[in-house]
mmCIF file of all heavy atoms in Angstrom:
data_model
loop_
_atom_site.group_PDB
_atom_site.id
_atom_site.type_symbol
_atom_site.label_atom_id
_atom_site.label_comp_id
_atom_site.label_asym_id
_atom_site.label_seq_id
_atom_site.Cartn_x
_atom_site.Cartn_y
_atom_site.Cartn_z
ATOM 1 N N ASP A 37 7.434 12.575 14.733
ATOM 2 C CA ASP A 37 6.161 11.854 14.642
ATOM 3 C C ASP A 37 6.037 11.107 13.317
ATOM 4 O O ASP A 37 5.686 9.928 13.287
ATOM 5 C CB ASP A 37 5.000 12.833 14.835
ATOM 6 C CG ASP A 37 3.657 12.152 15.093
ATOM 7 O OD1 ASP A 37 3.622 10.942 15.393
ATOM 8 O OD2 ASP A 37 2.626 12.858 15.023
ATOM 9 N N ARG A 38 6.342 11.768 12.212
ATOM 10 C CA ARG A 38 6.227 11.090 10.918
ATOM 11 C C ARG A 38 7.207 9.931 10.805
ATOM 12 O O ARG A 38 6.893 8.883 10.235
ATOM 13 C CB ARG A 38 6.421 12.080 9.768
ATOM 14 C CG ARG A 38 5.133 12.858 9.492
ATOM 15 C CD ARG A 38 5.324 13.914 8.444
ATOM 16 N NE ARG A 38 5.789 15.113 9.142
ATOM 17 C CZ ARG A 38 6.485 16.071 8.589
ATOM 18 N NH1 ARG A 38 6.823 16.001 7.324
ATOM 19 N NH2 ARG A 38 6.847 17.116 9.283
ATOM 20 N N MET A 39 8.408 10.102 11.361
ATOM 21 C CA MET A 39 9.394 9.029 11.347
ATOM 22 C C MET A 39 8.901 7.850 12.198
ATOM 23 O O MET A 39 9.006 6.693 11.809
ATOM 24 C CB MET A 39 10.741 9.540 11.852
ATOM 25 C CG MET A 39 11.910 8.679 11.446
ATOM 26 S SD MET A 39 13.488 9.388 11.980
ATOM 27 C CE MET A 39 13.661 10.769 10.830
ATOM 28 N N ALA A 40 8.344 8.169 13.365
ATOM 29 C CA ALA A 40 7.799 7.126 14.244
ATOM 30 C C ALA A 40 6.634 6.414 13.567
ATOM 31 O O ALA A 40 6.521 5.179 13.639
ATOM 32 C CB ALA A 40 7.356 7.728 15.567
ATOM 33 N N CYS A 41 5.768 7.167 12.916
ATOM 34 C CA CYS A 41 4.616 6.570 12.240
ATOM 35 C C CYS A 41 5.060 5.647 11.106
ATOM 36 O O CYS A 41 4.505 4.550 10.945
ATOM 37 C CB CYS A 41 3.686 7.651 11.698
ATOM 38 S SG CYS A 41 2.801 8.550 12.982
ATOM 39 N N ALA A 42 6.036 6.066 10.338
ATOM 40 C CA ALA A 42 6.528 5.221 9.242
ATOM 41 C C ALA A 42 7.114 3.927 9.798
ATOM 42 O O ALA A 42 6.897 2.839 9.250
ATOM 43 C CB ALA A 42 7.563 5.975 8.412
ATOM 44 N N TRP A 43 7.842 4.021 10.905
ATOM 45 C CA TRP A 43 8.384 2.826 11.563
ATOM 46 C C TRP A 43 7.239 1.914 12.004
ATOM 47 O O TRP A 43 7.267 0.705 11.763
ATOM 48 C CB TRP A 43 9.238 3.254 12.759
ATOM 49 C CG TRP A 43 9.693 2.123 13.618
ATOM 50 C CD1 TRP A 43 10.758 1.292 13.389
ATOM 51 C CD2 TRP A 43 9.111 1.685 14.852
ATOM 52 N NE1 TRP A 43 10.858 0.370 14.411
ATOM 53 C CE2 TRP A 43 9.858 0.593 15.316
ATOM 54 C CE3 TRP A 43 8.008 2.125 15.602
ATOM 55 C CZ2 TRP A 43 9.552 -0.076 16.507
ATOM 56 C CZ3 TRP A 43 7.709 1.471 16.782
ATOM 57 C CH2 TRP A 43 8.473 0.380 17.220
ATOM 58 N N LEU A 44 6.216 2.491 12.631
ATOM 59 C CA LEU A 44 5.059 1.724 13.093
ATOM 60 C C LEU A 44 4.342 1.051 11.923
ATOM 61 O O LEU A 44 3.983 -0.129 11.995
ATOM 62 C CB LEU A 44 4.091 2.646 13.846
ATOM 63 C CG LEU A 44 2.880 1.982 14.477
ATOM 64 C CD1 LEU A 44 3.296 1.126 15.673
ATOM 65 C CD2 LEU A 44 1.872 3.049 14.904
ATOM 66 N N ILE A 45 4.153 1.794 10.847
ATOM 67 C CA ILE A 45 3.493 1.245 9.662
ATOM 68 C C ILE A 45 4.263 0.033 9.152
ATOM 69 O O ILE A 45 3.683 -1.033 8.932
ATOM 70 C CB ILE A 45 3.352 2.323 8.562
ATOM 71 C CG1 ILE A 45 2.327 3.377 8.987
ATOM 72 C CG2 ILE A 45 2.978 1.688 7.220
ATOM 73 C CD1 ILE A 45 2.369 4.666 8.175
ATOM 74 N N GLN A 46 5.569 0.187 8.978
ATOM 75 C CA GLN A 46 6.366 -0.913 8.414
ATOM 76 C C GLN A 46 6.461 -2.105 9.348
ATOM 77 O O GLN A 46 6.487 -3.239 8.891
ATOM 78 C CB GLN A 46 7.759 -0.421 8.043
ATOM 79 C CG GLN A 46 7.738 0.457 6.822
ATOM 80 C CD GLN A 46 9.116 0.839 6.351
ATOM 81 O OE1 GLN A 46 9.940 1.330 7.115
ATOM 82 N NE2 GLN A 46 9.377 0.595 5.079
ATOM 83 N N LYS A 47 6.520 -1.881 10.649
ATOM 84 C CA LYS A 47 6.690 -2.976 11.610
ATOM 85 C C LYS A 47 5.389 -3.678 11.973
ATOM 86 O O LYS A 47 5.389 -4.883 12.226
ATOM 87 C CB LYS A 47 7.334 -2.455 12.905
ATOM 88 C CG LYS A 47 8.761 -2.041 12.758
ATOM 89 C CD LYS A 47 9.656 -3.242 12.714
ATOM 90 C CE LYS A 47 11.102 -2.799 12.656
ATOM 91 N NZ LYS A 47 12.022 -3.903 12.673
ATOM 92 N N TYR A 48 4.284 -2.931 12.033
ATOM 93 C CA TYR A 48 3.068 -3.487 12.622
ATOM 94 C C TYR A 48 1.813 -3.396 11.764
ATOM 95 O O TYR A 48 0.827 -4.042 12.077
ATOM 96 C CB TYR A 48 2.788 -2.795 13.969
ATOM 97 C CG TYR A 48 3.883 -3.048 14.961
ATOM 98 C CD1 TYR A 48 4.946 -2.153 15.100
ATOM 99 C CD2 TYR A 48 3.884 -4.195 15.736
ATOM 100 C CE1 TYR A 48 5.971 -2.390 15.999
ATOM 101 C CE2 TYR A 48 4.902 -4.441 16.641
ATOM 102 C CZ TYR A 48 5.944 -3.545 16.764
ATOM 103 O OH TYR A 48 6.959 -3.791 17.641
ATOM 104 N N ILE A 49 1.832 -2.604 10.730
ATOM 105 C CA ILE A 49 0.610 -2.384 9.955
ATOM 106 C C ILE A 49 0.750 -2.861 8.515
ATOM 107 O O ILE A 49 -0.105 -3.589 8.009
ATOM 108 C CB ILE A 49 0.205 -0.885 9.988
ATOM 109 C CG1 ILE A 49 -0.065 -0.446 11.438
ATOM 110 C CG2 ILE A 49 -1.010 -0.624 9.098
ATOM 111 C CD1 ILE A 49 -0.189 1.055 11.636
ATOM 112 N N ASP A 50 1.820 -2.483 7.847
ATOM 113 C CA ASP A 50 1.985 -2.769 6.415
ATOM 114 C C ASP A 50 3.470 -2.957 6.095
ATOM 115 O O ASP A 50 4.151 -2.002 5.717
ATOM 116 C CB ASP A 50 1.407 -1.608 5.605
ATOM 117 C CG ASP A 50 1.527 -1.781 4.108
ATOM 118 O OD1 ASP A 50 1.940 -2.874 3.644
ATOM 119 O OD2 ASP A 50 1.210 -0.817 3.388
ATOM 120 N N PRO A 51 3.978 -4.193 6.258
ATOM 121 C CA PRO A 51 5.411 -4.437 6.016
ATOM 122 C C PRO A 51 5.874 -4.090 4.599
ATOM 123 O O PRO A 51 7.057 -3.855 4.381
ATOM 124 C CB PRO A 51 5.579 -5.930 6.291
ATOM 125 C CG PRO A 51 4.402 -6.321 7.106
ATOM 126 C CD PRO A 51 3.295 -5.386 6.725
ATOM 127 N N GLN A 52 4.969 -4.036 3.657
ATOM 128 C CA GLN A 52 5.310 -3.712 2.268
ATOM 129 C C GLN A 52 5.028 -2.242 1.939
ATOM 130 O O GLN A 52 4.935 -1.870 0.767
ATOM 131 C CB GLN A 52 4.519 -4.610 1.303
ATOM 132 C CG GLN A 52 4.726 -6.102 1.522
ATOM 133 C CD GLN A 52 6.184 -6.509 1.416
ATOM 134 O OE1 GLN A 52 6.890 -6.071 0.521
ATOM 135 N NE2 GLN A 52 6.641 -7.333 2.347
ATOM 136 N N ALA A 53 4.906 -1.423 2.957
ATOM 137 C CA ALA A 53 4.551 -0.012 2.772
ATOM 138 C C ALA A 53 5.508 0.696 1.813
ATOM 139 O O ALA A 53 6.708 0.467 1.827
ATOM 140 C CB ALA A 53 4.555 0.701 4.115
ATOM 141 N N GLU A 54 4.917 1.549 1.015
ATOM 142 C CA GLU A 54 5.674 2.429 0.121
ATOM 143 C C GLU A 54 5.302 3.857 0.502
ATOM 144 O O GLU A 54 4.121 4.196 0.593
ATOM 145 C CB GLU A 54 5.274 2.153 -1.331
ATOM 146 C CG GLU A 54 6.020 2.968 -2.345
ATOM 147 C CD GLU A 54 5.562 2.656 -3.766
ATOM 148 O OE1 GLU A 54 5.152 1.512 -4.048
ATOM 149 O OE2 GLU A 54 5.603 3.590 -4.590
ATOM 150 N N PHE A 55 6.313 4.695 0.741
ATOM 151 C CA PHE A 55 6.058 6.053 1.212
ATOM 152 C C PHE A 55 6.265 7.078 0.107
ATOM 153 O O PHE A 55 7.214 6.997 -0.671
ATOM 154 C CB PHE A 55 6.957 6.375 2.414
ATOM 155 C CG PHE A 55 6.637 5.519 3.604
ATOM 156 C CD1 PHE A 55 7.409 4.405 3.901
ATOM 157 C CD2 PHE A 55 5.544 5.796 4.406
ATOM 158 C CE1 PHE A 55 7.109 3.595 4.980
ATOM 159 C CE2 PHE A 55 5.234 4.989 5.492
ATOM 160 C CZ PHE A 55 6.014 3.885 5.783
ATOM 161 N N VAL A 56 5.334 8.028 0.062
ATOM 162 C CA VAL A 56 5.371 9.136 -0.884
ATOM 163 C C VAL A 56 5.407 10.414 -0.051
ATOM 164 O O VAL A 56 4.661 10.539 0.929
ATOM 165 C CB VAL A 56 4.116 9.122 -1.802
ATOM 166 C CG1 VAL A 56 4.098 10.324 -2.721
ATOM 167 C CG2 VAL A 56 4.018 7.815 -2.564
ATOM 168 N N PHE A 57 6.247 11.339 -0.440
ATOM 169 C CA PHE A 57 6.380 12.593 0.302
ATOM 170 C C PHE A 57 5.973 13.751 -0.599
ATOM 171 O O PHE A 57 6.369 13.808 -1.759
ATOM 172 C CB PHE A 57 7.826 12.783 0.773
ATOM 173 C CG PHE A 57 8.288 11.631 1.620
ATOM 174 C CD1 PHE A 57 9.038 10.609 1.058
ATOM 175 C CD2 PHE A 57 7.952 11.553 2.958
ATOM 176 C CE1 PHE A 57 9.452 9.532 1.818
ATOM 177 C CE2 PHE A 57 8.354 10.477 3.725
ATOM 178 C CZ PHE A 57 9.111 9.461 3.161
ATOM 179 N N VAL A 58 5.172 14.656 -0.038
ATOM 180 C CA VAL A 58 4.709 15.816 -0.791
ATOM 181 C C VAL A 58 5.072 17.083 -0.020
ATOM 182 O O VAL A 58 5.232 17.048 1.203
ATOM 183 C CB VAL A 58 3.183 15.762 -1.048
ATOM 184 C CG1 VAL A 58 2.813 14.549 -1.897
ATOM 185 C CG2 VAL A 58 2.394 15.755 0.248
ATOM 186 N N PRO A 59 5.204 18.212 -0.718
ATOM 187 C CA PRO A 59 5.491 19.470 -0.031
ATOM 188 C C PRO A 59 4.371 19.822 0.957
ATOM 189 O O PRO A 59 3.196 19.501 0.721
ATOM 190 C CB PRO A 59 5.552 20.499 -1.162
ATOM 191 C CG PRO A 59 5.812 19.701 -2.398
ATOM 192 C CD PRO A 59 5.157 18.369 -2.174
ATOM 193 N N VAL A 60 4.735 20.484 2.029
ATOM 194 C CA VAL A 60 3.766 20.926 3.032
ATOM 195 C C VAL A 60 2.672 21.745 2.361
ATOM 196 O O VAL A 60 2.959 22.648 1.565
ATOM 197 C CB VAL A 60 4.469 21.763 4.129
ATOM 198 C CG1 VAL A 60 3.447 22.385 5.075
ATOM 199 C CG2 VAL A 60 5.450 20.907 4.893
ATOM 200 N N GLY A 61 1.429 21.389 2.645
ATOM 201 C CA GLY A 61 0.284 22.121 2.114
ATOM 202 C C GLY A 61 -0.167 21.702 0.730
ATOM 203 O O GLY A 61 -1.159 22.224 0.226
#
Side-chain angles (χ1 to χ4, degrees):
D37 194 14
R38 279 175 273 156
M39 200 176 287
C41 290
W43 172 81
L44 184 70
I45 290 165
Q46 288 186 308
K47 291 283 184 177
Y48 297 93
I49 299 168
D50 180 7
Q52 303 302 316
E54 182 181 329
F55 295 100
V56 176
F57 303 98
V58 297
V60 172

